[in-house]
mmCIF file with all atom_site columns, all heavy atoms in Angstrom:
data_model
loop_
_atom_site.group_PDB
_atom_site.id
_atom_site.type_symbol
_atom_site.label_atom_id
_atom_site.label_alt_id
_atom_site.label_comp_id
_atom_site.label_asym_id
_atom_site.label_entity_id
_atom_site.label_seq_id
_atom_site.pdbx_PDB_ins_code
_atom_site.Cartn_x
_atom_site.Cartn_y
_atom_site.Cartn_z
_atom_site.occupancy
_atom_site.B_iso_or_equiv
_atom_site.pdbx_formal_charge
_atom_site.auth_seq_id
_atom_site.auth_comp_id
_atom_site.auth_asym_id
_atom_site.auth_atom_id
_atom_site.pdbx_PDB_model_num
ATOM   1  N N   . GLU L 1 52  ? 101.032 104.996 103.570 1.00 97.00 ? 289 GLU L N   1
ATOM   2  C CA  . GLU L 1 52  ? 100.739 104.525 104.890 1.00 97.00 ? 289 GLU L CA  1
ATOM   3  C C   . GLU L 1 52  ? 101.852 104.712 105.884 1.00 97.00 ? 289 GLU L C   1
ATOM   4  O O   . GLU L 1 52  ? 101.600 104.830 107.098 1.00 97.00 ? 289 GLU L O   1
ATOM   5  C CB  . GLU L 1 52  ? 100.349 103.005 104.818 1.00 97.00 ? 289 GLU L CB  1
ATOM   6  C CG  . GLU L 1 52  ? 101.491 102.039 104.652 1.00 97.00 ? 289 GLU L CG  1
ATOM   7  C CD  . GLU L 1 52  ? 102.044 102.041 103.082 1.00 97.00 ? 289 GLU L CD  1
ATOM   8  O OE1 . GLU L 1 52  ? 101.636 102.794 102.297 1.00 97.00 ? 289 GLU L OE1 1
ATOM   9  O OE2 . GLU L 1 52  ? 102.947 101.218 102.914 1.00 97.00 ? 289 GLU L OE2 1
ATOM   10 N N   . SER L 1 53  ? 102.992 104.957 105.463 1.00 98.00 ? 290 SER L N   1
ATOM   11 C CA  . SER L 1 53  ? 104.129 104.891 106.459 1.00 98.00 ? 290 SER L CA  1
ATOM   12 C C   . SER L 1 53  ? 105.212 106.001 105.949 1.00 98.00 ? 290 SER L C   1
ATOM   13 O O   . SER L 1 53  ? 105.306 106.431 104.892 1.00 98.00 ? 290 SER L O   1
ATOM   14 C CB  . SER L 1 53  ? 104.865 103.533 106.445 1.00 98.00 ? 290 SER L CB  1
ATOM   15 O OG  . SER L 1 53  ? 105.311 103.321 105.162 1.00 98.00 ? 290 SER L OG  1
ATOM   16 N N   . ARG L 1 56  ? 107.086 104.694 103.095 1.00 98.00 ? 293 ARG L N   1
ATOM   17 C CA  . ARG L 1 56  ? 106.405 104.867 101.828 1.00 98.00 ? 293 ARG L CA  1
ATOM   18 C C   . ARG L 1 56  ? 106.713 106.211 101.239 1.00 98.00 ? 293 ARG L C   1
ATOM   19 O O   . ARG L 1 56  ? 106.954 106.322 100.048 1.00 98.00 ? 293 ARG L O   1
ATOM   20 C CB  . ARG L 1 56  ? 105.031 104.616 102.049 1.00 98.00 ? 293 ARG L CB  1
ATOM   21 C CG  . ARG L 1 56  ? 104.198 104.481 100.629 1.00 98.00 ? 293 ARG L CG  1
ATOM   22 C CD  . ARG L 1 56  ? 104.453 103.412 99.709  1.00 98.00 ? 293 ARG L CD  1
ATOM   23 N NE  . ARG L 1 56  ? 104.516 102.121 100.433 1.00 98.00 ? 293 ARG L NE  1
ATOM   24 C CZ  . ARG L 1 56  ? 105.021 101.021 99.950  1.00 98.00 ? 293 ARG L CZ  1
ATOM   25 N NH1 . ARG L 1 56  ? 105.725 100.935 98.833  1.00 98.00 ? 293 ARG L NH1 1
ATOM   26 N NH2 . ARG L 1 56  ? 105.044 99.910  100.627 1.00 98.00 ? 293 ARG L NH2 1
ATOM   27 N N   . ASP L 1 130 ? 109.602 97.647  95.127  1.00 98.00 ? 367 ASP L N   1
ATOM   28 C CA  . ASP L 1 130 ? 109.310 97.277  96.551  1.00 98.00 ? 367 ASP L CA  1
ATOM   29 C C   . ASP L 1 130 ? 108.828 95.788  96.617  1.00 98.00 ? 367 ASP L C   1
ATOM   30 O O   . ASP L 1 130 ? 109.529 94.900  96.733  1.00 98.00 ? 367 ASP L O   1
ATOM   31 C CB  . ASP L 1 130 ? 108.566 98.270  97.230  1.00 98.00 ? 367 ASP L CB  1
ATOM   32 C CG  . ASP L 1 130 ? 107.963 97.838  98.553  1.00 98.00 ? 367 ASP L CG  1
ATOM   33 O OD1 . ASP L 1 130 ? 108.719 97.086  99.280  1.00 98.00 ? 367 ASP L OD1 1
ATOM   34 O OD2 . ASP L 1 130 ? 106.856 98.368  98.952  1.00 98.00 ? 367 ASP L OD2 1
ATOM   35 N N   . ARG L 1 131 ? 107.497 95.732  96.681  1.00 98.00 ? 368 ARG L N   1
ATOM   36 C CA  . ARG L 1 131 ? 106.940 94.273  96.776  1.00 98.00 ? 368 ARG L CA  1
ATOM   37 C C   . ARG L 1 131 ? 106.883 93.538  95.472  1.00 98.00 ? 368 ARG L C   1
ATOM   38 O O   . ARG L 1 131 ? 107.001 94.187  94.371  1.00 98.00 ? 368 ARG L O   1
ATOM   39 C CB  . ARG L 1 131 ? 105.485 94.429  97.406  1.00 98.00 ? 368 ARG L CB  1
ATOM   40 C CG  . ARG L 1 131 ? 105.574 95.204  98.668  1.00 98.00 ? 368 ARG L CG  1
ATOM   41 C CD  . ARG L 1 131 ? 104.202 95.444  99.273  1.00 98.00 ? 368 ARG L CD  1
ATOM   42 N NE  . ARG L 1 131 ? 104.350 96.339  100.477 1.00 98.00 ? 368 ARG L NE  1
ATOM   43 C CZ  . ARG L 1 131 ? 103.290 96.804  101.153 1.00 98.00 ? 368 ARG L CZ  1
ATOM   44 N NH1 . ARG L 1 131 ? 102.021 96.470  100.814 1.00 98.00 ? 368 ARG L NH1 1
ATOM   45 N NH2 . ARG L 1 131 ? 103.442 97.536  102.221 1.00 98.00 ? 368 ARG L NH2 1
ATOM   46 N N   . SER L 1 187 ? 106.166 92.207  102.129 1.00 98.00 ? 424 SER L N   1
ATOM   47 C CA  . SER L 1 187 ? 107.005 92.551  103.269 1.00 98.00 ? 424 SER L CA  1
ATOM   48 C C   . SER L 1 187 ? 106.382 91.881  104.465 1.00 98.00 ? 424 SER L C   1
ATOM   49 O O   . SER L 1 187 ? 107.125 91.629  105.469 1.00 98.00 ? 424 SER L O   1
ATOM   50 C CB  . SER L 1 187 ? 107.001 94.038  103.432 1.00 98.00 ? 424 SER L CB  1
ATOM   51 O OG  . SER L 1 187 ? 105.947 94.735  102.882 1.00 98.00 ? 424 SER L OG  1
ATOM   52 N N   . ARG L 1 191 ? 108.802 88.738  105.858 1.00 98.00 ? 428 ARG L N   1
ATOM   53 C CA  . ARG L 1 191 ? 109.411 88.939  107.331 1.00 98.00 ? 428 ARG L CA  1
ATOM   54 C C   . ARG L 1 191 ? 108.809 87.827  108.192 1.00 98.00 ? 428 ARG L C   1
ATOM   55 O O   . ARG L 1 191 ? 109.408 87.329  109.143 1.00 98.00 ? 428 ARG L O   1
ATOM   56 C CB  . ARG L 1 191 ? 108.975 90.234  107.740 1.00 98.00 ? 428 ARG L CB  1
ATOM   57 C CG  . ARG L 1 191 ? 109.769 91.407  107.039 1.00 98.00 ? 428 ARG L CG  1
ATOM   58 C CD  . ARG L 1 191 ? 109.333 92.850  107.305 1.00 98.00 ? 428 ARG L CD  1
ATOM   59 N NE  . ARG L 1 191 ? 110.045 93.641  106.352 1.00 98.00 ? 428 ARG L NE  1
ATOM   60 C CZ  . ARG L 1 191 ? 109.584 94.884  106.089 1.00 98.00 ? 428 ARG L CZ  1
ATOM   61 N NH1 . ARG L 1 191 ? 108.567 95.465  106.661 1.00 98.00 ? 428 ARG L NH1 1
ATOM   62 N NH2 . ARG L 1 191 ? 110.290 95.634  105.182 1.00 98.00 ? 428 ARG L NH2 1
ATOM   63 N N   . ASN L 1 241 ? 106.955 96.940  110.932 1.00 98.00 ? 478 ASN L N   1
ATOM   64 C CA  . ASN L 1 241 ? 107.575 98.277  110.419 1.00 98.00 ? 478 ASN L CA  1
ATOM   65 C C   . ASN L 1 241 ? 107.583 99.250  111.556 1.00 98.00 ? 478 ASN L C   1
ATOM   66 O O   . ASN L 1 241 ? 106.935 99.143  112.665 1.00 98.00 ? 478 ASN L O   1
ATOM   67 C CB  . ASN L 1 241 ? 106.786 98.793  109.118 1.00 98.00 ? 478 ASN L CB  1
ATOM   68 C CG  . ASN L 1 241 ? 105.543 99.693  109.559 1.00 98.00 ? 478 ASN L CG  1
ATOM   69 O OD1 . ASN L 1 241 ? 105.105 99.622  110.614 1.00 98.00 ? 478 ASN L OD1 1
ATOM   70 N ND2 . ASN L 1 241 ? 105.230 100.443 108.518 1.00 98.00 ? 478 ASN L ND2 1
ATOM   71 N N   . ASP L 1 271 ? 112.533 98.733  108.963 1.00 98.00 ? 508 ASP L N   1
ATOM   72 C CA  . ASP L 1 271 ? 112.587 99.890  108.071 1.00 98.00 ? 508 ASP L CA  1
ATOM   73 C C   . ASP L 1 271 ? 113.886 100.766 108.468 1.00 98.00 ? 508 ASP L C   1
ATOM   74 O O   . ASP L 1 271 ? 114.529 101.148 107.489 1.00 98.00 ? 508 ASP L O   1
ATOM   75 C CB  . ASP L 1 271 ? 111.304 100.771 108.370 1.00 98.00 ? 508 ASP L CB  1
ATOM   76 C CG  . ASP L 1 271 ? 110.141 100.299 107.532 1.00 98.00 ? 508 ASP L CG  1
ATOM   77 O OD1 . ASP L 1 271 ? 110.177 99.223  106.839 1.00 98.00 ? 508 ASP L OD1 1
ATOM   78 O OD2 . ASP L 1 271 ? 109.038 100.952 107.672 1.00 98.00 ? 508 ASP L OD2 1
HETATM 79 O O1  . LIG O 2 .   ? 106.877 97.079  101.543 1.00 55.53 ? 31  LIG O O1  1
HETATM 80 C C1  . LIG O 2 .   ? 107.627 97.831  102.434 1.00 55.53 ? 31  LIG O C1  1
HETATM 81 C C2  . LIG O 2 .   ? 106.949 98.099  103.620 1.00 55.53 ? 31  LIG O C2  1
HETATM 82 O O2  . LIG O 2 .   ? 105.787 98.790  103.349 1.00 55.53 ? 31  LIG O O2  1
HETATM 83 C C3  . LIG O 2 .   ? 107.731 98.898  104.616 1.00 55.53 ? 31  LIG O C3  1
HETATM 84 O O3  . LIG O 2 .   ? 108.384 98.139  105.669 1.00 55.53 ? 31  LIG O O3  1
HETATM 85 C C4  . LIG O 2 .   ? 106.518 99.673  105.339 1.00 55.53 ? 31  LIG O C4  1
HETATM 86 O O4  . LIG O 2 .   ? 106.949 100.620 106.174 1.00 55.53 ? 31  LIG O O4  1
HETATM 87 C C5  . LIG O 2 .   ? 105.824 99.924  104.209 1.00 55.53 ? 31  LIG O C5  1
HETATM 88 O O5  . LIG O 2 .   ? 104.502 100.413 104.452 1.00 55.53 ? 31  LIG O O5  1
#
Side-chain angles (χ1 to χ4, degrees):
E289 74 286 1
S290 61
R293 187 65 51 199
D367 172 28
R368 303 177 187 174
S424 28
R428 289 170 196 165
N478 88 339
D508 283 357

